[in-house]
Amino acid sequence: MPDLLAPTQRKFGVRSSEFGGRKRSKRSTPHSALRIPHSTESPELLRRVAKSHNLTDETYARIVKVLGRQPTITEVGIFGVEWSEHCSYCSSKVYLKTFPTKGRQVLVPAGKENAGVVDLGEGQAVAFKIESHNHPSAVEPVQGAATGVGGIIRDIFTMGARPIALLDALRFGPPQDRRSRFLLEGVVKGIADYGNAVGVPTVGGDIAFDQTYRDNPLVNVMCIGLLASRTIARAAARGVGNPVLYVGSSTGRDGLGGASFASRELSEGSDADRPAVQIGDPFAEKCLIEATLEALATGEVIGIQDMGAAGLTCSTSEMAARGGLGIEIDVLRVPRREAGMTPYDIMLSESQERMLLIVKRDAVTRITRLFARWRLQAVQIGRVTGDGRLRVREGEQVVADIPVGALTDGAPMYQRPVRRPSYLAKVQHLPLARVPQPKDLGGVLRRLIASPTIANKSPVFEQYDHMVQTSTVVLPGRADAAVLRLKGAARWLAATTDGSGRFCYLDPYVGGQLAVAEAARNLVCVGARPLAITDCLNFGNPEDPHIMWQFKECVRGIGEACRAFETPVTGGNVSFYNEHPGGAINPTPVIGMIGVIEGESGPVTASFKDEGDAIVVLGQTREELGGSEYLAVIHGRKQGVPPRADLRAERVLQQLMVQAARAGWLKSAHDCSEGGLAVALAESCIMDPDRARGAAVIGSRIPLAAARVRPDALLFGESAGRIVLSCARFYLEPLLELANRVGVPAAELGRVGGPRLTITPWIEEPVETLSEAWRSGLS
């Protein structure tokens, strides 16, 4: 916001030190002798700056009341970013509190640290989290996506965990649209450029395409790290007088006001917000990972936090608040790479690859030398205080003095109005009699598997390094979830992301349940027992009662599913204001879920393996076409009621799958999701390019929930709770007996083999034709 701050540059300007600021006195002035901050700016300018941070007149008045005086321009900026939707969760926290967050496996629950941590047993733990970088990616896709990767990686190694994997959940407009293609290519390049260079493999994720995301793409990135369960690092200030160290890259003006930018809608003028997009350096991040983990291993680091959203403001105030203490810093000590930076600039900058450390008093020299070995700066910029205040000095001048509680727990919380959207009555009404049934169902299958959301994603994931660190067990695109080796243990870690914006548009409560259920099915299809989730909740403007109703209902659905599956929520992110001049995006919760594979059988992949193997389907098919890919692609409709979510049945299905996989009965397993049963069968035939197999299936054997189901619903409907398996004939009987004993509908549909996929009496397609359609959908 240079037009707003130009008048302040001379007053707050920095001129002559090596960091571009005034020379400091040799002795630091004790804070008791420092003056209370005095604003020299006009009230009109301060209100304009407040407005640029989306602060209302009422909120500004609240700041004045908290301080008991007129704020300085730096204080306005600090309150602006800390009280932003992006940092304070002021509209969502009332609902997020309803999530289940506790469990025997949870070592660090949601909201307590930079990421959640779950116990894996045998002294191992996993830290994981998902976050969004939607707005930055919309205006600068390469750097927006790249810095999203960098930020989530820092959240993980800040916990003391070594980052071992990334997963990306991406949403774009139709790829044939020029702008959507530009955003898709830029985002993928940003992820690849940063992730490949920093040495963390991108092992999975999901991509979907819909017109709703044309001008507001979703870029949600999940990172996973491993650590010893006894060595979890904490982000709390401890020990009055302990030094506060700034480590990493220098501070610039990139990312200035990024948290505020993420807390308002995109508009036709959003290109002017490019300065709010950070610039990443993956090579600096790689050094920062190694230096930080080495520093944590010394035992001399007491507290640590990434300078992410709101930069130095967030890290200082939140660490102080967690510890019930205060922090005082001098911005003249902060390394910077641009001249003329004001305290406002320094406190709000979101320059990348920076961390804040609190270390033992006698450890400053050792930690500084350690970071220097990695060619990184480590500078003492302040100390921990006992007065519960964030005090920011510029030399001897105090430019901000704020109670940390006012910035964190004292941030405004809103119980915003909620109202069921009127559009639901219209879009949920779907008389199937008015939906014509295609005569050529084989042609429908070819069109569906070539549609961008279903088609092979190798043009994307082949740009990512998924083998660095040599822990990737299953290549991307070969299974329903990513699988990572836990070195030194006879277990594997599985991870996935999932979530349907279309289902949530039609019914956010059911859509929330289905997002969790499908993520769990993805995990059990590789043989993993689900452990916990992290979520990224992407919604429109929370000031709209319809949007808040969608959010409330979606959170309710996610919470119910997590309780039913015993998969607590360990953290995540809320991304509001995903709107553009044409309106809000579909409400899109993205669920990141992890699980563990135990036993000697190892992971199960999705493709059929051997001629003569039995093909089995678990779960019932209903006449459910609402929100399906079939209805959208073939009939151009986004209508109906989403498939019913039976959480109890899903839980029993999960337990059956884990038991069967551990027993070694399964050769393949694939969830029935977009495109339904026919697409699941087709993908099982063609997902492994080196081992494509045909299949002969008898349609009359498919377990149905009703006496009659129309053929297009039977083949392409997306009824939940269904999985396609294959197994050796020897294991067919015990598998079906187990399913019958626990009450899961199951049937042998046919056998693997031949050059065609045959679903009698409706479809007979050459596997080669299906494979060509599937592999060319995105190319």
Side-chain angles (χ1 to χ4, degrees):
M1 292 160 284
D3 57 322
L4 298 177
L5 300 183
T8 72
Q9 296 296 322
R10 288 185 296 278
K11 295 175 183 176
F12 284 89
V14 286
R15 286 185 286 275
S16 60
S17 78
E18 60 180 305
F19 295 132
R22 291 197 299 267
K23 290 183 179 178
R24 299 185 300 277
S25 61
K26 292 183 180 178
R27 288 187 304 170
S28 180
T29 305
H31 76 80
S32 58
L34 295 169
R35 293 177 295 154
I36 294 173
H38 175 66
S39 174
T40 59
E41 312 307 323
S42 69
E44 180 185 356
L45 174 62
L46 293 174
R47 288 182 182 276
R48 285 167 55 202
V49 175
K51 187 175 181 181
S52 73
H53 283 286
N54 314 314
L55 296 173
T56 64
D57 290 343
E58 180 183 357
T59 309
Y60 182 79
R62 183 170 176 171
I63 293 171
V64 173
K65 184 177 180 180
V66 165
L67 295 175
R69 56 177 168 79
Q70 195 80 350
T72 66
I73 200 164
T74 303
E75 289 171 331
V76 172
I78 289 172
F79 273 105
V81 291
E82 274 296 287
W83 284 9
S84 69
E85 190 75 58
H86 190 71
C87 290
S88 73
Y89 294 84
C90 53
S91 299
S92 59
K93 190 174 286 187
V94 64
Y95 299 110
L96 299 180
K97 289 178 179 178
T98 66
F99 277 148
T101 58
K102 297 179 180 179
R104 290 173 302 176
Q105 69 272 44
V106 177
L107 300 178
V108 177
K112 299 300 183 183
E113 299 288 345
N114 289 283
V117 180
V118 170
D119 189 13
L120 293 175
E122 300 181 13
Q124 279 188 316
V126 57
F128 70 114
K129 187 180 181 183
I130 191 169
E131 281 202 344
S132 64
H133 236 221
N134 304 336
H135 281 49
S137 300
V139 300
E140 184 55 63
V142 176
Q143 286 299 332
T147 52
V149 171
I152 195 65
I153 289 175
R154 288 193 298 278
D155 280 339
I156 297 306
F157 71 78
T158 298
M159 299 301 301
R162 176 168 293 280
I164 63 166
L166 294 162
L167 294 90
D168 308 304
L170 310 176
R171 305 290 184 269
F172 299 98
Q176 60 269 29
D177 173 81
R178 173 182 273 180
R179 172 167 173 75
S180 298
R181 194 79 183 191
F182 164 75
L183 293 172
L184 167 63
E185 292 173 354
V187 165
V188 170
K189 176 176 170 55
I191 293 169
D193 287 355
Y194 203 103
N196 295 355
V198 81
V200 180
T202 301
V203 298
D206 66 299
I207 309 177
F209 300 87
D210 191 286
Q211 184 65 29
T212 189
Y213 308 113
R214 180 192 180 274
D215 296 304
N216 195 134
L218 302 184
V219 179
N220 295 180
V221 184
M222 176 177 169
C223 186
I224 300 169
L226 290 180
L227 70 161
S229 55
R230 68 181 185 280
T231 61
I232 299 170
R234 303 291 179 173
R238 295 277 186 258
V240 173
N242 277 332
V244 176
L245 268 62
Y246 171 117
V247 304
S249 299
S250 297
T251 295
R253 288 193 177 92
D254 57 310
L256 193 62
S260 299
F261 169 49
S263 301
R264 59 177 177 264
E265 298 174 11
L266 293 171
S267 68
E268 292 178 358
S270 289
D271 280 353
D273 286 308
R274 278 202 175 94
V277 179
Q278 307 90 337
I279 300 171
D281 180 351
F283 301 104
E285 178 110 337
K286 174 59 177 172
C287 293
L288 191 59
I289 292 172
E290 301 305 329
T292 302
L293 293 178
E294 188 177 334
L296 289 169
T298 67
E300 296 185 321
V301 176
I302 295 168
I304 180 170
Q305 179 148 326
D306 164 40
M307 293 187 210
L312 196 50
T313 289
C314 182
S315 54
T316 51
S317 61
E318 293 187 4
M319 289 184 79
R322 287 193 187 101
L325 297 171
I327 285 181
E328 178 179 310
I329 64 169
D330 183 351
V331 294
L332 289 183
R333 296 175 179 263
V334 173
R336 62 195 89 168
R337 59 173 178 262
E338 296 184 44
M341 292 186 72
T342 67
Y344 175 99
D345 296 335
I346 294 165
M347 292 303 294
L348 270 63
S349 169
E350 294 182 11
S351 293
Q352 298 291 284
E353 295 86 41
R354 304 179 302 157
M355 312 282 282
L356 199 70
L357 275 59
I358 295 171
V359 302
K360 295 179 180 178
R361 293 192 192 193
D362 61 351
V364 174
T365 300
R366 290 189 294 275
I367 296 297
T368 300
R369 287 174 178 171
L370 187 158
F371 277 87
R373 288 203 306 272
W374 290 96
R375 299 187 178 183
L376 294 170
Q377 301 170 96
V379 180
Q380 182 177 351
I381 64 168
R383 63 189 181 88
V384 178
T385 65
D387 59 5
R389 303 185 75 84
L390 172 62
R391 187 172 295 105
V392 181
R393 297 191 287 115
E394 187 189 27
E396 297 181 4
Q397 176 66 46
V398 178
V399 295
D401 191 347
I402 307 169
V404 293
L407 294 172
T408 54
D409 295 338
M413 291 292 117
Y414 301 118
Q415 181 88 44
R416 296 198 184 273
V418 297
R419 187 164 61 249
R420 178 184 170 91
S422 57
Y423 76 82
L424 285 175
K426 180 179 180 181
V427 299
Q428 288 183 347
H429 182 63
L430 178 66
L432 286 183
R434 297 183 182 178
V435 178
Q437 296 195 58
K439 294 181 180 179
D440 181 8
L441 295 174
V444 170
L445 177 58
R446 292 194 303 274
R447 285 184 61 187
L448 281 176
I449 63 172
S451 66
T453 295
I454 293 176
N456 177 33
K457 304 303 187 301
S458 61
V460 172
F461 63 68
E462 285 178 355
Q463 298 184 51
Y464 304 147
D465 186 342
H466 44 262
M467 293 304 296
V468 65
Q469 297 191 32
T470 67
S471 292
T472 307
V473 176
V474 178
L475 297 178
R478 303 293 180 89
D480 284 27
V483 180
L484 300 159
R485 183 180 294 105
L486 294 173
K487 295 175 182 177
R491 296 171 300 154
W492 296 262
L493 183 68
T496 187
T497 63
D498 221 307
S500 170
R502 193 181 297 137
F503 285 164
C504 288
Y505 170 77
L506 296 171
D507 188 328
Y509 168 67
V510 174
Q513 291 181 321
L514 290 172
V516 180
E518 183 165 351
R521 285 198 303 275
N522 289 341
L523 291 185
V524 299
C525 279
V526 299
R529 173 172 55 87
L531 289 177
I533 80 159
T534 177
D535 56 40
C536 197
L537 308 178
N538 305 276
F539 286 78
N541 187 337
E543 298 159 49
D544 182 339
H546 297 153
I547 299 296
M548 278 314 297
W549 183 87
Q550 291 175 335
F551 184 83
K552 175 178 74 74
E553 288 298 291
C554 191
V555 167
R556 185 165 69 93
I558 291 170
E560 284 193 12
C562 288
R563 278 184 283 272
F565 302 159
E566 298 181 22
T567 51
V569 181
T570 62
N573 173 237
V574 176
S575 176
F576 278 132
Y577 296 98
N578 289 288
E579 301 211 7
H580 47 82
I585 63 162
N586 287 345
T588 309
V590 172
I591 304 298
M593 185 179 284
I594 61 165
V596 64
I597 301 171
E598 297 160 318
E600 299 180 356
S601 298
V604 180
T605 56
S607 56
F608 293 147
K609 302 298 187 297
D610 298 306
E611 299 272 340
D613 284 346
I615 298 172
V616 175
V617 65
L618 302 179
Q620 284 187 319
T621 296
R622 300 178 178 84
E623 196 166 75
E624 296 174 311
L625 287 175
S628 65
E629 193 74 7
Y630 163 75
L631 207 61
V633 172
I634 305 302
H635 297 284
R637 297 188 182 201
K638 184 160 62 177
Q639 280 181 274
V641 176
R644 184 165 67 92
D646 186 335
L647 300 180
R648 180 190 166 281
E650 291 273 6
R651 179 67 168 148
V652 175
L653 176 67
Q654 294 165 19
Q655 294 167 336
L656 164 63
M657 284 293 300
V658 171
Q659 185 175 342
R662 190 179 299 176
W665 295 349
L666 308 181
K667 287 193 177 181
S668 72
H670 190 28
D671 168 39
C672 295
S673 54
E674 292 94 344
L677 179 60
V679 166
L681 288 164
E683 289 177 332
S684 298
C685 290
I686 62 180
M687 284 180 77
D688 186 345
D690 302 321
R691 205 172 187 177
R693 301 288 191 199
V697 168
I698 299 172
S700 61
R701 295 182 179 179
I702 298 170
L704 304 178
R708 296 186 62 184
V709 175
R710 49 187 277 170
D712 56 349
L714 186 149
L715 294 169
F716 309 118
E718 297 175 11
S719 294
R722 297 178 301 161
I723 294 174
V724 170
L725 312 173
S726 69
C727 65
R729 305 289 304 171
F730 179 79
Y731 292 120
L732 177 61
E733 185 175 344
L735 177 63
L736 294 178
E737 285 181 357
L738 175 61
N740 181 62
R741 187 165 67 247
V742 299
V744 173
E748 180 192 5
L749 299 185
R751 296 191 181 188
V752 175
R756 297 174 179 273
L757 169 62
T758 302
I759 307 176
T760 306
W762 304 291
I763 290 173
E764 187 172 357
E765 292 290 324
V767 169
E768 185 177 343
T769 300
L770 296 175
S771 180
E772 183 178 347
W774 185 64
R775 296 183 192 284
S776 62
L778 267 187
S779 62

